[in-house]
Amino acid sequence: MQYEPAPPTPDPPTTRRSPRAMLARLESAGDRSGRVTHTEHLPARAARYSPWPHRLHPDVVAAVRAQGVDRPYSHQAEALERALAGESVIVATGTASGKSLTYLAPVLHALLGPPVDGRAPTALYLAPTKALAADQARAVKELAAPLGTAVRHAVYDGDTPAEARAWARRYANLLLTNPDMLHRGLLPGHRRWSSFLRGLRYVVIDESHVYRGVFGSHVAQVLRRLRRLCAHHGTRPVFLLASATAAEPGPGASRLTGVEVGAVTDDGSPRGELAFALWEPPLTEAKGERGAPVRRSATAEAAELLCDLVAEEARTVAFVRSRRAAELIALIARERLDRRRGEAVSSYRGGYLPEERRALERALHSGELLGLAATNALELGVDIAGLDAVLIAGFPGTRASLWQQAGRAGRAGQGALAVLVARDDPLDTYLVHHPEALFRQPVEATVLDPGNPYVLAPHLCAAADELPLTEADFSVFDDAARELAPKLTARGLLRRRGAAWYWTRRDRPSDLADIRGEGGPQVQVVEESTGRLLGTVDTAAAHTTVHEGAVHLHRGTSFVVRSLDLGDHTALVEAAAPPWTTSARDVSEIAVLDTDLTEQWGASRMYLGSVEVTNQVVSYLRRRPVTGEILGEIKLDMPPRVLRTRAVWWTLTEDQVDEARLTPEILPGALHAAEHAAIGMLPLFATCDRWDIGGVSTALHPDTLLPTIFVHDGHPGGAGFAERGFHAAREWLTATRDAIAACECESGCPSCVQSPKCGNGNDPLHKRGAVRLLTVVLRGIAPPP
Ligand SMILES: Nc1ncnc2c1ncn2[C@@H]1O[C@H](COP(=O)(O)OP(=O)(O)OP(=O)(O)O)[C@@H](O)[C@H]1O
């Protein structure tokens, strides 16, 4: 399809913060021409309003008006009508479109109402993070102030002291918490919460798009446990969800909650003009692995752009993909800017202590901070709308996330600038040269699979502990529960007595489910000489990020890891600033456990099934910052990790290998290159990013006895990504082949077939062989109907 850019609109009068002027200035500085590959202009949009629903309590209307909101936007009014009528709804509209009102107003309305059947009304608010629940508590406090003691809210999370918990149980009618606390506290202790649960009218699920993949599947099961206990206590709460824009929000929300959920998507809020530029950093002089050309890193480029914007007093957030990048950008900005402006730039990421994060949020609000380099820890719930510019260093994995981040830019009545800075990898390179893939495609649906047995099993155990489990409960959880209960009984986890299953062990079943998939306790990063706790890293990431010798950045200071004790969950670090960064190398083997689906593609065969992946970190590379040039490789002695998960794989026959002219010397490199590029492109078709999936390729696999390429989910039990790949295989592998073929490099580079996380140092790789291999495989598929 030929891509037609949107027709240019006439230039607005140049003001200091006109997005076009900002972009023109960024482009013209130094030698930056040609780096903008496309600019999309999204015109301003006027607000659409509707009247307040008649049935909404006048005191609630007055309280909202007192906050400066005179009339609801059209989507707010629609959501309010439906929520007040008792329909579960999801509001999936743009960033800062006023979603909070759509759940707060019905909740306050219910709390002001009389008891029903002698039950005083209550409501539950769930946020994915503690910070967001705390933020909402502040908003509720202000909004409900004119309503006196009718609204008694309480935050209930891991930091809530015992006496405050007791108060919450006895008096609160609006509880602000998170799925983890439901899972570990409220549901197991439901008898103590019975008066709260008996009155439960609304369950609010804020930022519901976050509940995707394995985490989403866990939360879906936690919500099923909640619904089952509510039924036991005689209630059927209405679910109110707020989400970033997502495809098919209604079905997604229904899958998450297990109840029928209607969707409100027609956004009536106003929007300023947005200029959205796609930006490709230039090639550098440096040579990468196997002499490949290397582009300037997105991090270095974004750091430079951030400096330029901050120097012009433009309030800017640079969203980055890794904690390290957030630190690096802040570091570079402080070096490049004068002292006053340098101090107005900071980093923000998960793993900081909560009080540090709160202080940074306040500073950004007050304008004391002008620039922030942030991971997606900032994306959620922190009210940072109203920025002049947003830089996105690396495609954030989904279009939904991209818009969520870009939507932070824009002040009332003024335009804003968003810039996606491409990383040197196949997907980002493809996207900055195919703007239609970003701007002419709908955002993704949220993928989750509540029937994943790895997820379901621990929740069935927890449910059995909360109330004995009966046949009738299976339909609440998932049909898979019917087969799972006897298996759990055989494993000694459940015990059957009569028609019910019980948890009779002494330990707590909630400990069986690691709902955030952190893979065990967090590893604490401790400064050796002082004993100071710098932050935490989850276990899975610890192998690759805080191994011995790793360079670890924290708030702009560089540390080197002296030792990592996985048994003790501690990494000891010391302040040091070597002139390199580090990246871990690992190796993987894969075994087929089960095949669920297969499809014949001419002579090739495509499979979906369960696999066991054994992975071991074996060494790390030292790289020069900015250019990424490799300075050396150091061996490591780390334990292997085993992952049982889902994979998509395909095989080639001897004849196909001959047809693609893949000699024995070329074949391993062609397979390996096709695997890398396929991993790089899958995020375009499955809601995941490259770090959520892995791959293995081999010229002769012991299970298939043929040359085989595997792409697997990175989570125990799978997360639905490989499955998406299987079902979208034609489009996926076609885009993969096209991306490799279109790359200008001679024999493979990070923009096409080199992978930043390759365990074999990107060796061997055969770029042209990969194109021929994929062409032969694709020839076997019937063209689309
Ligand atoms: N009908 C309205 N008229 C004018 N301003 C409004 C209206 N509704 C909400 N607002 C204002 O819009 C801002 C954003 O609202 P809110 O935080 O609820 O958005 P959101 O969609 O929940 O944001 P996020 O995308 O961050 O979750 C707030 O300052 C709020 O007061």
Side-chain angles (χ1 to χ4, degrees):
M1 183 185 74
Q2 186 62 38
Y3 173 66
E4 293 279 344
T9 41
D11 273 341
T14 311
T15 64
R16 196 163 64 89
R17 292 220 168 94
S18 133
R20 286 157 201 255
M22 268 193 279
L23 181 60
R25 199 138 33 214
L26 286 183
E27 255 194 299
S28 62
D31 178 23
R32 293 192 187 143
S33 62
R35 296 191 198 175
V36 173
T37 57
H38 174 81
T39 308
E40 187 82 7
H41 293 282
L42 292 109
R45 182 182 69 197
R48 282 176 291 140
Y49 295 98
S50 293
W52 291 107
H54 288 303
R55 67 173 109 195
L56 185 59
H57 198 297
D59 290 356
V60 175
V61 175
V64 175
R65 284 207 163 120
Q67 294 288 302
V69 173
D70 216 36
R71 319 176 264 169
Y73 300 130
S74 50
H75 67 278
Q76 291 174 319
E78 184 193 346
L80 292 177
E81 286 284 6
R82 292 168 72 170
L84 292 170
E87 187 188 340
S88 289
V89 278
I90 177 165
V91 179
T93 50
T95 314
S97 57
K99 291 188 281 287
S100 332
L101 181 67
T102 63
Y103 55 77
L104 284 178
V107 163
L108 298 188
H109 173 92
L111 300 185
L112 289 182
V116 178
D117 301 336
R119 297 152 184 249
T122 61
L124 184 66
Y125 166 92
L126 294 176
T129 62
K130 285 194 251 181
L132 179 53
D135 245 34
Q136 277 295 305
R138 281 192 286 276
V140 167
K141 191 170 171 198
E142 268 182 39
L143 178 62
L147 306 175
T149 54
V151 179
R152 299 177 303 279
H153 73 278
V155 174
Y156 175 65
D157 64 26
D159 300 337
T160 312
E163 59 282 17
R165 288 184 187 200
W167 187 92
R169 268 198 302 273
R170 288 182 73 147
Y171 302 112
N173 58 6
L174 171 54
L175 196 66
L176 300 112
T177 184
N178 52 53
D180 313 64
M181 278 311 269
L182 268 192
H183 168 60
R184 292 187 173 278
L186 200 142
L187 299 181
H190 68 100
R191 289 184 183 85
R192 293 198 291 165
W193 287 94
S194 64
S195 65
F196 182 85
L197 289 174
R198 275 161 45 86
L200 192 58
R201 301 278 282 282
Y202 286 111
V203 176
V204 174
I205 306 180
D206 202 2
E207 308 280 356
S208 67
H209 56 278
V210 171
Y211 304 124
R212 65 180 184 88
V214 174
F215 179 40
S217 306
H218 275 292
V219 173
Q221 291 302 350
V222 170
L223 293 173
R224 282 157 178 73
R225 280 163 53 202
L226 171 68
R227 280 182 30 239
R228 173 173 173 258
L229 292 177
C230 284
H232 172 75
H233 290 279
T235 40
R236 275 186 52 196
V238 170
F239 286 83
L240 302 179
L241 298 93
S243 161
T245 20
E248 302 172 12
S254 302
R255 217 165 23 248
L256 179 66
T257 58
V259 299
E260 187 68 27
V261 181
V264 173
T265 54
D266 187 9
D267 194 338
S269 66
R271 189 178 66 189
E273 181 200 0
L274 181 70
F276 201 144
L278 305 184
W279 186 289
E280 185 172 48
L283 288 168
T284 62
E285 296 290 309
K287 294 275 173 265
E289 276 168 353
R290 309 173 76 221
V294 175
R295 274 189 199 283
R296 189 138 191 264
S297 76
T299 308
E301 191 83 346
E304 212 175 275
L305 299 179
L306 182 77
C307 290
D308 288 10
L309 288 161
V310 166
E312 298 208 1
E313 308 273 321
R315 281 215 302 155
T316 307
V317 166
F319 284 105
V320 295
R321 303 298 316 281
S322 68
R323 294 175 172 197
R324 182 205 306 268
E327 298 284 356
L328 263 178
I329 289 188
L331 199 70
I332 296 173
R334 250 177 264 145
E335 272 169 17
R336 285 178 54 112
L337 290 165
D338 63 45
R339 205 169 137 227
R340 182 177 67 82
R341 294 223 175 80
E343 281 171 4
V345 177
S346 183
S347 49
Y348 184 108
R349 60 168 173 82
Y352 281 178
L353 302 174
E355 47 287 9
E356 278 179 310
R357 285 167 64 162
R358 295 299 87 74
L360 289 170
E361 287 157 22
R362 278 195 301 275
L364 186 64
H365 262 292
S366 68
E368 197 186 318
L369 272 185
L370 273 176
L372 200 60
T375 61
N376 62 1
L378 186 69
E379 215 180 287
L380 286 179
V382 186
D383 182 10
I384 51 153
L387 301 167
D388 298 305
V390 165
L391 303 170
I392 302 167
F395 179 59
T398 61
R399 287 180 292 272
S401 232
L402 183 81
W403 288 112
Q404 171 95 339
Q405 295 181 345
R408 294 288 172 199
R411 292 173 189 231
Q414 259 181 336
L417 175 67
V419 182
L420 170 64
V421 181
R423 281 186 306 178
D424 200 5
D425 72 25
L427 180 56
D428 281 25
T429 307
Y430 178 87
L431 290 174
V432 291
H433 292 287
H434 292 81
E436 74 281 2
L438 289 175
F439 298 116
R440 304 289 173 269
Q441 292 284 329
V443 291
E444 305 79 359
T446 40
V447 180
L448 61 106
D449 172 17
N452 177 340
Y454 286 82
V455 170
L456 180 54
H459 291 286
L460 277 186
C461 294
D465 187 37
E466 286 150 12
L467 284 179
L469 200 63
T470 63
E471 287 270 345
D473 291 324
F474 293 150
S475 58
V476 175
F477 291 98
D478 190 276
D479 284 340
R482 207 171 298 281
E483 288 166 29
L484 211 51
K487 287 188 188 159
L488 294 171
T489 312
R491 279 169 53 197
L493 287 165
L494 294 182
R495 188 173 291 180
R496 184 156 193 178
R497 280 201 222 115
W501 284 266
Y502 295 80
W503 175 263
T504 54
R505 293 161 52 127
R506 292 172 68 92
D507 41 348
R508 287 184 310 182
S510 52
D511 288 344
L512 296 175
D514 172 18
I515 74 171
R516 295 200 186 242
E518 284 162 347
Q522 299 271 302
V523 170
Q524 308 215 312
V525 182
V526 176
E527 190 174 24
E528 191 170 25
S529 55
T530 61
R532 180 166 69 108
L533 173 67
L534 295 180
T536 56
V537 176
D538 59 49
T539 305
H543 283 247
T544 50
T545 59
V546 287
H547 53 77
E548 199 178 307
V551 174
H552 177 78
L553 296 173
H554 183 80
R555 308 254 351 237
T557 308
S558 163
F559 295 84
V560 171
V561 178
R562 295 279 172 237
S563 62
L564 168 65
D565 185 335
L566 287 165
D568 213 18
H569 311 295
T570 311
L572 294 177
V573 303
E574 222 31 272
W580 58 73
T581 63
T582 51
S583 57
R585 283 286 147 99
D586 54 7
V587 292
S588 293
E589 279 177 16
I590 198 161
V592 174
L593 301 176
D594 271 316
T595 303
D596 298 334
L597 291 174
T598 73
E599 213 170 288
Q600 193 71 42
W601 278 16
S604 282
R605 221 165 169 44
M606 190 90 185
Y607 298 83
L608 177 72
S610 300
V611 294
E612 184 172 273
V613 186
T614 308
N615 172 277
Q616 187 171 19
V617 170
V618 291
S619 66
Y620 68 93
L621 296 181
R622 290 178 173 162
R623 290 175 186 270
R624 209 182 283 291
V626 183
T627 63
E629 191 186 335
I630 293 164
L631 303 172
E633 179 169 3
I634 290 90
K635 296 267 174 274
L636 285 171
D637 180 19
M638 302 275 281
R641 289 170 295 164
V642 175
L643 172 74
R644 284 185 170 214
T645 189
R646 310 266 294 155
V648 50
W649 65 96
W650 63 98
T651 54
L652 285 92
T653 60
E654 285 295 320
D655 288 347
Q656 285 179 306
V657 168
D658 290 344
E659 190 187 341
R661 290 179 280 117
L662 303 174
T663 60
E665 297 75 50
I666 294 177
L667 179 62
L671 290 161
H672 194 199
E675 172 216 321
H676 279 180
I679 292 173
M681 294 305 283
L682 185 57
L684 204 53
F685 301 90
T687 313
C688 65
D689 70 39
R690 148 170 228 156
W691 304 90
D692 285 332
I693 47 182
V696 176
S697 57
T698 161
L700 178 65
H701 191 270
D703 295 315
T704 63
L705 302 174
L706 288 170
T708 313
I709 297 177
F710 290 84
V711 174
H712 64 81
D713 290 352
H715 303 264
F721 310 138
E723 186 158 352
R724 285 274 159 143
F726 180 86
H727 292 296
R730 179 195 298 118
E731 298 81 1
W732 170 34
L733 296 188
T734 304
T736 302
R737 181 196 53 195
D738 293 352
I740 309 174
C743 186
E744 297 154 23
C745 74
E746 180 55 30
S747 54
C749 72
S751 303
C752 55
V753 297
Q754 290 195 345
S755 162
K757 55 173 197 164
C758 176
N760 309 64
N762 283 301
D763 187 33
L765 284 179
H766 199 284
K767 176 183 170 180
R768 274 165 296 190
V771 175
R772 295 203 297 272
L773 180 156
L774 289 166
T775 304
V776 166
V777 170
L778 284 163
R779 208 176 282 150
I781 320 178

